[in-house]
Amino acid sequence: MNIIVQDVQKGMGTLKVMVKDSIDIQGMKTMAGSKALMQSQPAIENADVVNRILAADCQITAKTNLHELAFGITGINHTFGTAINPKYPALIPGGSSSGSAAAVAAGLADFTLGTDTGGSIRMPAACCGVFGLKPTFGRVSRKGVHPASSSLDCVGPFANSVEMIETAMQIIDPTFKVADALQQAPKLAWLQVDADPQVIAAIEQYLAQLHLQATPVEASFFEAAFHAGMQIINYENWQAYGDLTQTGLVGADVNGRLLKAAETTLAQVKQAEQVKATFTAEIDRLLEQYDALILPTLPQIPPQVVDAENTVALLNLTGLVRPFNLSGHPAISIPLQTKEGLPVGLQVVGKTNADAQLCAIAKYIKAAVL
């Protein structure tokens, strides 16, 4: 399935786990899906999250492939192969944590780890029909995760249930305590965003099955937050990986994005930081009134692999996920389908550091129609 990059045999635990190959495992190269890093030195120590997984007596069975340098949204990788989307084989697996989402969808692991700088957990979760959580920014250790410095990136889990997401979070975040089951319906706000009618209809039909009310609300800085997030990731990825553009070994799509990212100025980053403060405050105000915000994970049905070579042309696919990297709020994608059986994600956004409560809300929403 082109999911496994390198085999790993560690631990004898009952849970099988795979980790994205932008996360260090001692003695193994961290290649981040790039030919440009194939000659890098093996990691001298485990990432913090890997140590926690092994300490929990889990078995790490593989590292997973990704969109090169975690700087793309389709998951297409011509060097190591593109992970097949197990449930929707014609469609992209989503990026950048493509292999991690596909491995869970294929039943190859109990949970997997990905990273999310601009939607890279929630997007592939929606594409592959699994659950994916982007924790609150800074909550899960990024020590041993590449790039080493990021203002937006989060390590988080994929799984086939919210309960397994909670188990994974307890392992990788010692402060995570599973919240009590909700005794009454959460107070939800439906964030008004632009999305294809097919996507909106699927979510509305799902919500119609629930005994829940979702109040329509707006976030006036939502689009500005998307663009601000792009500016920050572009600037920071150029700092981290710009030198690799001189090797001739970076794939054309990522190389082009990096060269374009080089044009991002510090002044633009400072403007983005101002947007970050304003947008974060706006979302915080909404979450003072509601338990969670809901909106689609993706604005459209994921495209077919054959139509998805041009990453830049598809950046709008991150339009509904990237703003919450800027604000840092936790967000989970719940897998849904259209009447035609195509994948749709329902994104639920919670209060800062209320990750456990967010999972409880997600379980309530998912259980309401079982």
Side-chain angles (χ1 to χ4, degrees):
M1 294 195 51
N2 290 324
I3 292 171
I4 299 173
V5 176
Q6 305 164 355
D7 287 331
V8 185
Q9 293 297 327
K10 295 199 176 186
M12 296 298 292
T14 55
L15 294 181
K16 289 184 170 62
V17 182
M18 298 182 182
V19 300
K20 185 177 183 178
D21 193 28
S22 58
I23 300 173
D24 284 344
I25 293 181
Q26 184 178 14
M28 305 189 71
K29 296 178 180 180
T30 306
M31 296 185 289
S34 180
K35 187 185 294 185
L37 296 177
M38 287 181 71
Q39 303 306 316
S40 60
Q41 293 299 308
I44 60 174
E45 59 184 4
N46 290 327
D48 281 353
V49 288
V50 169
N51 281 332
R52 286 172 180 156
I53 289 168
L54 296 176
D57 201 28
C58 298
Q59 183 182 13
I60 299 180
T61 58
K63 298 188 85 173
T64 58
N65 201 4
L66 58 148
H67 200 114
E68 186 174 7
L69 300 178
F71 200 30
I73 62 175
T74 63
I76 293 173
N77 188 309
H78 294 298
T79 298
F80 294 110
T82 300
I84 295 170
N85 186 333
K87 297 180 182 178
Y88 312 98
L91 305 184
I92 61 169
S96 63
S97 307
S98 48
S100 294
V104 163
L108 298 179
D110 293 295
F111 72 86
T112 60
L113 293 189
T115 62
D116 192 317
T117 320
S120 287
I121 290 173
R122 291 158 291 158
M123 166 178 267
C127 291
C128 293
V130 299
F131 293 86
L133 172 68
K134 179 198 82 69
T136 298
F137 177 78
R139 178 155 188 162
V140 177
S141 172
R142 291 192 69 258
K143 184 182 178 185
V145 179
H146 299 261
S149 177
S150 174
S151 302
L152 306 173
D153 189 51
C154 305
V155 178
F158 294 90
N160 282 309
S161 68
V162 183
E163 288 80 2
M164 185 55 70
I165 292 282
E166 291 176 320
T167 296
M169 283 298 293
Q170 287 177 284
I171 291 170
I172 66 173
D173 173 11
T175 70
F176 186 95
K177 308 297 181 188
V178 174
D180 293 337
L182 299 189
Q183 298 303 309
Q184 59 185 26
K187 189 176 181 182
L188 301 175
W190 172 265
L191 190 59
Q192 302 292 283
V193 294
D194 290 330
D196 283 1
Q198 191 177 12
V199 171
I200 297 292
I203 293 177
E204 287 180 340
Q205 288 163 12
Y206 182 78
L207 293 176
Q209 301 174 66
L210 310 179
H211 300 291
L212 291 173
Q213 296 295 320
T215 305
V217 298
E218 294 185 354
S220 57
F221 283 86
F222 193 78
E223 187 174 349
F226 167 79
H227 293 293
M230 287 294 306
Q231 299 281 24
I232 292 173
I233 189 176
N234 284 342
Y235 184 84
E236 294 184 346
N237 271 8
W238 175 252
Q239 303 304 311
Y241 297 126
D243 289 349
L244 297 182
T245 60
Q246 301 174 28
T247 66
L249 298 175
V250 179
D253 70 322
V254 173
N255 201 68
R257 284 195 71 193
L258 282 170
L259 292 174
K260 183 67 175 175
E263 301 172 9
T264 308
T265 66
L266 266 177
Q268 289 173 313
V269 172
K270 289 179 180 178
Q271 290 175 343
E273 292 289 348
Q274 293 175 348
V275 173
K276 176 179 180 177
T278 303
F279 177 67
T280 301
E282 183 177 36
I283 297 301
D284 284 342
R285 283 194 295 273
L286 286 171
L287 289 169
E288 288 173 1
Q289 304 171 59
Y290 301 95
D291 295 320
L293 309 179
I294 60 172
L295 68 159
T297 306
L298 304 180
Q300 65 183 72
I301 302 301
Q304 295 195 5
V305 174
V306 294
D307 298 326
E309 283 292 339
N310 187 347
T311 296
V312 175
L314 295 171
L315 283 176
N316 66 305
L317 282 173
T318 65
L320 308 184
V321 285
R322 191 178 298 276
F324 300 109
N325 290 95
L326 190 75
S327 69
H329 292 89
I332 190 169
S333 184
I334 297 174
L336 306 178
Q337 288 193 128
T338 67
K339 290 185 300 183
E340 297 75 24
L342 295 171
V344 169
L346 170 58
Q347 185 177 194
V348 187
V349 181
K351 297 177 176 67
T352 299
N353 282 321
D355 303 50
Q357 186 67 11
L358 174 63
C359 288
I361 292 169
K363 280 195 293 189
Y364 188 98
I365 291 172
K366 195 61 179 173
V369 294
L370 294 180

